[in-house]
Amino acid sequence: MQDKLDMGIENDSAYYFFERAINEEKISAKIQNLNQSLSKLHNKKDSLYPLLLDYKIYYHNRLEEFDSALFFADSLERLATFRKDTNWIALAFYRKAVIHRYLDNQEAVFKNAFESRKHYLQIGDSTKAARRSLEMAIAQSRMQDYTGSQESAIEALRYLNREKDRQYLSSAHNIIAIAYRNQGFYNDALNEYKNALRYSKNLEDSLIYQNNIGLVYQDQKKYKKAISIFQKIYSEVPQDDYRSRARNLDNLAFTKWLRNKHLDVSLELQQALQWRKAYNDKSGLTTSYFHLSEFYKNRNKIKAIDYAKNWLETGETNTSLHSQVDALKQLLALSPSDTSYVSAYIHLSDSLKKTNLRAKNTFAKIKFDEERKQQEISSLKASAALQTIENQKIKTRNYILMFVAMLTIALAIFIFYYNRQKHKKEKIIEIYNTETRISKKIHDELANDIYNIMSGLEAVVPTKIIDKLESIYSRTRDISRENSKIDTGSGYLKQLVALLSNICPANIRLIISGENNIPWSTINREKKLVIYRVLQEFMVNMKKHSKASLVALVFNEENRYLKIHYSDNGIGTAKEAIKNGNGLQNVENRIFSINGTLTFETEKGKGLKILIAIPL
């Protein structure tokens, strides 16, 4: 898509309006341009189409136009299903889960997050699947299905990345801690809150988790520890963050009062209440009214009842059955003679129980239905597999003869290949033995004869003749040394490096690298002989012809191949001259005999590069 944008776009095309939507600052203007882009997009198969729908969902959500956001989320799901694009299907369900989260419809959040997770697992995206599991856990926790919430959060932890998903890990541990706390497992809750704190990435989350730890200590009646934590948090909260300041001040004051019921903390509780009213913190108001009603219960019953009524009204505004039931319970305790609250309490308690039970059953049913669906799929697959087996039995009789024939051919090929490889190895050993035998003969007979002649003629022959004979003697000794016996055992590398160093003249710099990283002990004898002779040939040719001042040999193991890079900065030559002259034709034959490859790269005046690749 970006290529189309970069190439220049007609000013009435879908891509033109999409680019305008991206560059606009106001959300309303963005949506207008997205609408124009959708109207211009005639080909529904265009890759831009699902992207436009996704942007529409996002910006309508931002404007709290949830009906429109849901409409386009449904459109995206239908389009992705038609295209069989699992990634877009998963994203469409995730978008719907987010919309329902804003609408506080936790059952719908769970259902859509569950569907999204299922499709992400189908395409192997375990990280996004884990994040959807976490959203399921949050929905279950808000519906007070703490056991189910804990299971979903633990499932999320299995797949989240310890480095990339720290925020999600933190949230998962927090959800598990909430489940433990609400079930009365306070020590386990503390451990999980501490884990949440360990993975926290920002100050706001860190302060919330510390606050939750303080609340657990409050539950355990460890008021001194709780007060210490709330005081520390209150000192760290930014001065302009009145929501957090209200939460921490309220908890701090209420815990001090729990520790000492004679302490007057009304000013702190009232201050927290005023901040929460000013910033319309609905959830916080519920807590403030609860704390104030508790504080005044044995001090001023009229005030306690007033705050309990405010608590009830706030619960009704928030459509929180749990808050309403708790507030009615408080009112009944404060004024037991007032029977007007009894029927409301019974009715709402039953509704709360039914809602929680329905939520638990819904969550369990969704999982059960999916498991049953998978079992049915597995059963169908098993039936298909049985039918396939029956069909296979019929075919097997025909395949057996074919298999036997193929096995016979394969065996024949193997025997041929084995004999061929055996012949190659025997030939390499034979060449090596021949070279060694000739070397010994040159040393024991020719070189010694020349030396004896030199000794006998030294007194009667001119010095120049003696010098020439000595040169011939030295060359025969060199030939003898070059073709002497090669140690292919533990001393191989040491002998190879010594050979290369001895051949290289003193005025030429030789660099050898990587030789110690090669597993020489695993390389067979024939390959070691060929490597030794080939590198020897390179160095001899370099010494005779290249006029180089620098030679480099680099060894490395790559993809089960031993690679040897030879390079020098000599005069270079034509490629044909390399292959046909300087004895390097023989080098190719040696390398090919061990199934290796040889690559030359050279030009006159630009040195020589050779790459040897030998299978290990």
Side-chain angles (χ1 to χ4, degrees):
M1 184 189 70
Q2 188 61 45
D3 291 339
K4 293 182 181 180
L5 296 176
D6 292 341
M7 290 189 296
I9 304 168
E10 295 180 10
N11 60 8
D12 63 344
S13 70
Y15 286 90
Y16 169 76
F17 287 108
F18 175 67
E19 187 177 24
R20 283 190 60 177
I22 298 300
N23 294 325
E24 288 284 359
E25 291 186 4
K26 291 184 178 179
I27 295 178
S28 58
K30 286 178 179 289
I31 290 177
Q32 287 176 3
N33 281 285
L34 289 171
N35 290 339
Q36 289 278 16
S37 182
L38 279 169
S39 69
K40 298 290 183 182
L41 196 66
H42 303 299
N43 184 4
K44 302 303 182 184
K45 294 182 179 180
D46 196 304
S47 60
L48 181 62
Y49 192 34
L51 193 61
L52 286 170
L53 294 175
D54 192 39
Y55 271 86
K56 287 277 289 177
I57 298 164
Y58 177 75
Y59 289 119
H60 281 299
N61 226 15
R62 288 275 301 275
L63 293 176
E64 297 186 0
E65 296 172 353
F66 300 121
D67 288 342
S68 296
L70 277 173
F71 172 80
F72 288 106
D74 288 334
S75 299
L76 179 59
E77 181 200 339
R78 287 194 299 271
L79 175 69
T81 302
F82 175 75
R83 291 184 174 187
K84 297 181 180 179
D85 189 326
T86 308
N87 187 61
W88 276 113
I89 295 172
L91 184 62
F93 279 115
Y94 167 60
R95 295 295 187 220
K96 288 200 277 188
V98 172
I99 297 166
H100 285 295
R101 187 171 68 215
Y102 283 110
L103 294 170
D104 197 28
N105 186 347
Q106 301 305 325
E107 288 185 32
V109 171
F110 180 88
K111 289 177 182 178
N112 285 286
F114 181 86
E115 286 295 324
S116 180
R117 169 187 166 275
K118 180 176 70 176
H119 285 89
Y120 277 126
L121 286 174
Q122 287 175 6
I123 58 176
D125 193 336
S126 59
T127 299
K128 287 182 180 175
R131 294 175 183 180
R132 302 298 84 84
S133 292
L134 181 55
E135 284 144 17
M136 291 160 53
I138 294 170
Q140 289 169 292
S141 180
R142 289 175 178 172
M143 293 296 290
Q144 298 183 356
D145 177 13
Y146 297 116
T147 302
S149 170
Q150 194 170 0
E151 289 174 0
S152 297
I154 290 171
E155 184 179 359
L157 286 176
R158 292 194 188 103
Y159 297 105
L160 289 171
N161 186 288
R162 298 290 167 184
E163 298 301 325
K164 297 179 181 178
D165 298 315
R166 294 183 67 86
Q167 180 181 349
Y168 294 96
L169 285 166
S170 180
S171 182
H173 284 294
N174 183 53
I175 289 296
I176 295 170
I178 290 171
Y180 276 135
R181 184 188 172 203
N182 280 279
Q183 294 174 90
F185 302 118
Y186 297 123
N187 289 330
D188 293 319
L190 281 173
N191 289 332
E192 290 302 322
Y193 278 133
K194 288 174 182 177
N195 284 330
L197 187 61
R198 181 158 56 95
Y199 288 109
S200 175
K201 292 185 68 176
N202 56 61
L203 178 62
E204 182 181 358
D205 288 345
S206 174
L207 294 176
I208 289 172
Y209 300 145
Q210 289 181 68
N211 177 77
N212 292 344
I213 290 171
L215 291 175
V216 176
Y217 284 131
Q218 187 190 93
D219 292 336
Q220 294 178 314
K221 296 183 172 51
K222 296 178 180 179
Y223 300 126
K224 186 176 180 181
K225 282 187 175 182
I227 290 168
S228 175
I229 289 173
F230 291 136
Q231 286 175 332
K232 175 179 177 294
I233 298 171
Y234 190 65
S235 67
E236 293 176 357
V237 173
Q239 290 297 311
D240 59 347
D241 186 357
Y242 288 100
R243 284 176 178 266
S244 297
R245 291 185 70 190
R247 178 179 62 241
N248 299 131
L249 179 60
D250 188 53
N251 285 332
L252 175 59
F254 189 68
T255 309
K256 285 181 177 178
W257 175 75
L258 287 173
R259 189 184 184 199
N260 180 3
K261 295 292 180 70
H262 300 291
L263 197 64
D264 185 0
V265 293
S266 58
L267 290 177
E268 291 95 326
L269 295 176
Q270 285 289 345
Q271 178 63 74
L273 176 64
Q274 294 309 313
W275 281 337
R276 281 167 165 166
K277 283 182 177 180
Y279 288 91
N280 196 28
D281 183 358
K282 296 177 181 178
S283 176
L285 283 170
T286 301
T287 306
S288 277
Y289 289 134
F290 159 57
H291 287 169
L292 282 161
S293 182
E294 280 291 301
F295 173 75
Y296 282 111
K297 184 188 288 186
N298 296 318
R299 288 171 177 261
N300 188 330
K301 189 167 287 189
I302 294 174
K303 282 189 175 182
I305 291 172
D306 286 339
Y307 284 122
K309 288 179 179 179
N310 287 330
W311 180 6
L312 177 61
E313 289 173 4
T314 306
E316 291 170 350
T317 304
N318 296 346
T319 64
S320 171
L321 286 175
H322 190 274
S323 295
Q324 293 175 63
V325 169
D326 287 344
L328 285 167
K329 188 177 180 180
Q330 181 81 334
L331 285 167
L332 287 171
L334 290 168
S335 53
S337 59
D338 190 344
T339 59
S340 61
Y341 297 116
V342 175
S343 60
Y345 175 75
I346 294 171
H347 173 70
L348 288 176
S349 293
D350 289 342
S351 296
L352 180 61
K353 289 175 183 177
K354 288 177 182 177
T355 300
N356 290 342
L357 183 61
R358 188 182 75 247
K360 291 178 182 179
N361 289 339
T362 299
F363 301 148
K365 185 177 183 302
I366 291 171
K367 288 189 174 182
F368 174 76
D369 287 346
E370 181 62 24
E371 289 173 1
R372 186 169 60 182
K373 181 180 175 182
Q374 294 302 321
Q375 287 174 355
E376 289 174 356
I377 292 171
S378 299
S379 178
L380 289 172
K381 286 181 178 178
S383 298
L386 286 173
Q387 185 61 46
T388 302
I389 290 170
E390 289 300 320
N391 294 336
Q392 191 65 36
K393 285 180 179 179
I394 297 171
K395 294 178 182 179
T396 300
R397 289 192 294 270
N398 297 328
Y399 288 154
I400 290 174
L401 290 174
M402 187 184 297
F403 174 75
V404 170
M406 291 177 65
L407 185 62
T408 304
I409 293 169
L411 184 61
I413 293 171
F414 171 77
I415 293 170
F416 171 78
Y417 180 78
Y418 175 79
N419 288 332
R420 185 178 178 185
Q421 291 300 111
K422 183 180 178 183
H423 175 70
K424 281 184 179 181
K425 289 182 180 181
E426 290 174 349
K427 189 173 181 180
I428 292 170
I429 297 301
E430 183 183 344
I431 292 170
Y432 167 70
N433 290 335
T434 301
E435 289 172 343
T436 305
R437 188 171 62 253
I438 293 171
S439 170
K440 188 174 186 307
K441 196 170 185 69
I442 289 172
H443 179 273
D444 293 346
E445 297 179 15
L446 182 58
N448 287 339
D449 288 347
I450 293 172
Y451 183 80
N452 291 332
I453 291 171
M454 285 171 54
S455 299
L457 296 176
E458 193 170 1
V460 296
V461 175
T463 304
K464 287 184 178 182
I465 301 297
I466 295 298
D467 289 343
K468 288 181 179 180
L469 285 172
E470 188 172 354
S471 175
I472 293 170
Y473 172 72
S474 297
R475 281 152 56 195
T476 56
R477 291 294 299 272
D478 288 343
I479 292 170
S480 173
R481 278 195 296 269
E482 288 170 5
N483 295 280
S484 60
K485 187 175 180 181
I486 300 170
D487 180 0
T488 57
S490 59
Y492 175 77
L493 180 58
K494 184 177 181 181
Q495 185 178 357
L496 177 62
V497 173
L499 167 81
L500 300 174
S501 300
N502 289 334
I503 294 176
C504 189
N507 63 335
I508 297 177
R509 185 182 177 190
L510 173 64
I511 298 173
I512 302 174
S513 174
E515 73 280 6
N516 291 316
N517 298 326
I518 304 302
W520 295 106
S521 61
T522 65
I523 300 174
N524 65 39
R525 182 188 181 202
E526 293 77 18
K527 289 179 182 178
K528 286 181 178 178
L529 295 174
V530 168
I531 292 167
Y532 189 96
R533 292 301 187 206
V534 165
L535 294 183
Q536 183 180 40
E537 186 71 30
F538 285 169
M539 295 300 292
V540 169
N541 275 279
M542 176 278 298
K543 181 178 178 182
K544 290 180 180 178
H545 307 292
S546 74
K547 299 182 181 178
S549 61
L550 177 66
V551 178
L553 278 166
V554 179
F555 297 77
N556 72 295
E557 182 185 354
E558 184 180 329
N559 297 327
R560 296 298 302 156
Y561 270 80
L562 166 60
K563 291 190 175 181
I564 305 172
H565 300 260
Y566 169 92
S567 60
D568 66 43
N569 64 348
I571 59 175
T573 184
K575 288 186 179 181
E576 290 303 318
I578 283 284
K579 290 189 175 183
N580 297 327
N582 299 331
L584 291 182
Q585 184 65 49
N586 184 45
V587 167
E588 278 193 335
N589 294 335
R590 288 183 188 267
I591 292 297
F592 294 159
S593 71
I594 55 172
N595 300 320
T597 59
L598 195 65
T599 306
F600 297 95
E601 184 182 333
T602 182
E603 287 183 35
K604 285 190 176 181
K606 293 187 178 180
L608 173 64
K609 292 181 181 179
I610 302 173
L611 171 62
I612 302 171
I614 298 169
L616 292 174

